[in-house]
Structure formats: C-alpha cells, structure tokens
Amino acid sequence: MRVAVFSSKPYDREFLDLANQRHGHELSYFDVRLAPQTAALADGYRAVCAFVNDCLDARVLEQLAAGGTRLLALRSAGFNHVDLQAAARLGMTVARVPAYSPHAVAEHAVALVLGLNRMTHRAYNRVREGNFALDGLLGFDLHGKTVGVIGTGKIGLIFAQIMHGFGCRVLASDPQPSEEAPPWLEYVALEQLFGESDIISLHCPLTPQTDHLIDAAAIARMKPGVMLINTGRGRVVDTRAVIAGLKSGRIGRLGLDVYEEEEHLFFQDLSQRVIDDDLFMRLTTFHNVLITGHQAFFTREALENIAETTLANISAFDSGKGELHRVGSERLA
Ligand code: NAI
C-alpha cells in the first residue's frame, strides 16, 4: 500500500524501513509537517502516516479525502490532534499505537523529577566552568515525600510504581481508577491531591476536561514549592498560570516535556533563528525549570514498537486481516 509519511525524521525512517521489511509497503517520506499547505503531497496515497504535531483538522482531512486517502495511521498513542468527527464523516479510518513503551515516558518523567530535585542541569554547566559551589543546588530526599499522579493509565501506573520504589507515598486522581492499581496507591479527590502532594505528575490525555486542568485556581490549591511535571500534553497546563506560579514561588520546580504551542517549536533545529514565542522563552529563563522537547517517548524500544504497530495497522487495513488499533470507541468530548 502507498503510504505518505509526514514529519519523518532520519530516526523514523530507520525504524520504519527496518519494520517494513516484514510488511512491504511503499513508504514515501516527507520531512515537512502535515498542514493545509502540505496536504497536497499526499494526493494518491491511500494511507497517511502522521505524528503528534501534524495538523489533522477538518480542512486537512477534507484535502486528504479528496486526494484518495482512506487511512490515517498515527505514530502516536495520543489522538487529540485529529478531528475524529470529520474523519468519520469522510469515511476515514484512524489508527494509532495504543502503547509503544509506557516505560519510556514514565522513566523520562522520573528523569525530570531527579534532575530538577538535584539541579543536575545547573550542576553540569557549573562544573564545566570550574564552579564547584553548591549554593542553589540544594535538593530534598524523595523518600517519605508525597507524589500525586493525575491519570493512572499505562504510563501513570508505571510512574507511580517507580516513585513508590523511592519510598514515596503515592496519591492518584483518575475518573476511571485502574483495576491493576496496587494496594499502596491511594485514589483521592483532585483537591486533596493538590493540597498534599510535594510532586505532581500529569499522565492524563488532553480532553475538554483536562484542557488547562492546571490553571491559576489549581496552582493556588497546591503546596508552596510544589514540583510540577508534565509529560502528558502541553495544553493540560496553562503556561501563563505556571509562569505566575513560578514567579510567586508557589511552584518550586517545573519539568516539561510538552508545551501548549510546541508544534511551532519542537522536533526542529531552530538554533539559527530568533524564537518569537515569548511565553516559551520566559519559561527558559527560570533556573528551576527543566524543559525537554517532547522526547519522553524517544527510546530504541519505543521506536521499534511504533514502527511495527504502525505498519501492522496499515497491513491490517489493507488486507482486512490482523489487528487494527482503530480510534473510534474513545471519545474526546
Ligand atoms: P492511558 O489511556 O493508558 O491512560 C490515561 C489515563 O488518564 C486513563 O486512566 C484515563 O482514565 C485518565 N484520565 C482521563 N481523563 C482524566 C482526568 N480528567 N483526570 C485524571 N485522569 C484522567 O494513556 P497512557 O498511555 O498512559 O498515556 C497518557 C498520556 O501521555 C497520553 O494521552 C499522551 O497525551 C501522553 N504521552 C506523552 C508522550 C511523550 O512523549 N511525552 C508519549 C506517549 C503518551
């Protein structure tokens, strides 16, 4: 089957080409993002393969459908960037990779916790400059602290498990508590989680209910000096509100792998350009903020699984046989 692969980086090509030896599809790689201006590249391709910052709104889907596309094969678990109603109206199937490596994302969230706690990003630069002073690097023992996990699906549960291993008390909030939750995991109301957690980590999807879940009112209910970690989706956090929270000291440390306007920034080398996103640039000025550019998923194991499941989805759609991880029963509203 002919597949137009958008936002494809060298590492995507490497892993997709390897997995495709077992599937034999005709893959055309485009390094540009899918957008109204680039959708015409997919003319004549029955399948379009897209990533998290590709635009899959109604306008783009209509362009793709007119060009003959019938399958959207997402290389991601999240599908908040797809207009599912438009896809259904246009008779398009949307497939995703439901779980490629929840360990990769949970472990990266822990890396942000550890890095921020001991300020390893500052220590690294200091030591390189011959500055061995410890002022400003003071951390705290994780042992005995309270961690709040918002969203206890595949990733949130693994994150909770790791933090439990450090000797933390772990609170959780989820409208659908997990049946696999261990007995030490305490489901509490969001209010209590905000009020008692020293560290809060976001592992819920972006939905109308979680859009700006972390806003000024939520931050006001958190413990002074709280550490906030977001590896979920950027828009779960109101960036202006966290900047105000950092300025007031209510937020003591902030770790982000996702950002609400990231599609204009992440996955590209912009080091030769002037970045005109003032909110993002303000975030980078805080010594107690650690930002990574949506790399939580980026492990060898995850890329292998993404490539294999994506191509298996395309094969299943093409042949009508095998498992197709269709987005359909899930609803965003
Ligand atoms: P999952 O579907 O296994 O779990 C999500 C959990 O969030 C479910 O238990 C659900 O009930 C819960 N939830 C839904 N609404 C909620 C709310 N209002 N409050 C609290 N919990 C709520 O998803 P998984 O695989 O654990 O992924 C979680 C999220 O992580 C994804 O939706 C995606 O946005 C993000 N992600 C980020 C990656 C990265 O590289 N930074 C990579 C992969 C996923």
Side-chain angles (χ1 to χ4, degrees):
M1 187 154 155
R2 295 186 74 216
V3 186
V5 187
F6 282 87
S7 297
S8 57
K9 303 288 180 194
Y11 45 83
D12 294 310
R13 297 172 194 203
E14 179 189 335
F15 285 91
L16 283 168
D17 282 344
L18 200 63
N20 199 33
Q21 289 173 6
R22 291 184 292 279
H23 293 272
H25 296 293
E26 191 187 319
L27 307 181
S28 299
Y29 293 111
F30 301 107
D31 54 8
V32 290
R33 270 180 64 218
L34 179 58
Q37 300 77 9
T38 59
L41 290 168
D43 267 7
Y45 288 88
R46 267 183 84 214
V48 158
C49 181
F51 199 46
V52 287
N53 289 330
D54 285 309
C55 173
L56 290 159
D57 63 10
R59 182 174 159 201
V60 168
L61 295 187
E62 277 158 20
Q63 286 175 267
L64 295 179
T69 299
R70 292 289 165 264
L71 172 68
L72 298 175
L74 306 178
R75 304 198 294 283
S76 58
F79 49 87
N80 52 278
H81 54 312
V82 186
D83 186 331
L84 292 180
Q85 282 171 348
R89 173 166 52 78
L90 295 163
M92 280 177 157
T93 298
V94 184
R96 66 177 184 133
V97 184
Y100 38 86
S101 174
H103 295 280
V105 184
E107 288 170 12
H108 189 75
V110 176
L112 292 176
V113 170
L114 294 174
L116 276 167
N117 182 21
R118 308 309 284 265
M119 294 283 172
T120 42
H121 53 296
R122 296 189 84 191
Y124 174 79
N125 286 326
R126 280 192 193 181
V127 169
R128 285 164 68 93
E129 289 176 9
N131 176 359
F132 305 105
L134 299 183
D135 315 64
L137 303 183
L138 189 66
F140 55 86
D141 285 10
L142 288 171
H143 183 90
K145 294 297 180 298
T146 300
V147 176
V149 182
I150 300 185
T152 54
K154 291 175 285 296
I155 296 169
L157 272 189
I158 294 169
F159 176 81
Q161 186 83 54
I162 299 172
M163 298 315 289
H164 177 69
F166 281 122
C168 297
R169 172 188 178 216
V170 190
L171 307 179
S173 166
D174 194 314
Q176 288 178 295
S178 170
E179 289 173 8
E180 292 161 31
W184 45 260
L185 188 66
E186 300 173 45
Y187 279 100
V188 295
L190 201 51
E191 195 69 32
Q192 186 183 345
L193 185 149
F194 284 150
E196 294 184 14
S197 299
D198 301 292
I199 299 169
I200 296 175
S201 194
L202 306 173
H203 299 289
C204 53
L206 176 64
T207 67
Q209 291 74 37
T210 62
D211 201 340
H212 283 189
L213 178 73
I214 306 301
D215 59 6
I219 293 167
R221 277 142 50 204
M222 293 178 190
K223 271 177 114 166
V226 66
M227 183 193 294
L228 179 66
I229 305 291
N230 187 11
T231 58
R233 282 289 177 268
R235 280 219 330 252
V236 177
V237 167
D238 177 347
T239 308
R240 286 176 197 280
V242 290
I243 289 174
L246 285 160
K247 284 162 81 174
S248 73
R250 172 70 61 166
I251 297 177
R253 296 161 205 250
L254 175 69
L256 300 179
D257 186 53
V258 286
Y259 168 63
E260 52 184 328
E261 300 293 333
E262 70 176 51
E263 63 269 30
H264 306 295
L265 299 172
F266 289 2
F267 307 128
Q268 310 166 67
D269 179 359
L270 302 180
S271 55
Q272 303 302 320
R273 299 219 208 133
V274 170
I275 293 175
D276 62 1
D277 183 326
D278 293 348
L279 281 185
F280 185 81
M281 292 317 285
R282 181 70 179 101
L283 278 177
T284 64
T285 65
F286 294 98
H287 65 82
N288 50 351
V289 173
L290 183 50
I291 307 176
T292 52
H294 208 138
Q295 71 170 80
F297 74 99
F298 200 56
T299 66
R300 174 162 295 281
E301 291 77 4
L303 290 191
E304 280 166 2
N305 291 336
I306 289 172
E308 178 51 37
T309 307
T310 299
L311 291 166
N313 280 337
I314 294 167
S315 295
F317 179 83
D318 196 25
S319 66
K321 288 185 230 140
E323 192 177 2
L324 176 62
H325 298 94
R326 190 188 291 263
V327 178
S329 49
E330 300 108 323
R331 276 287 162 256
L332 291 182

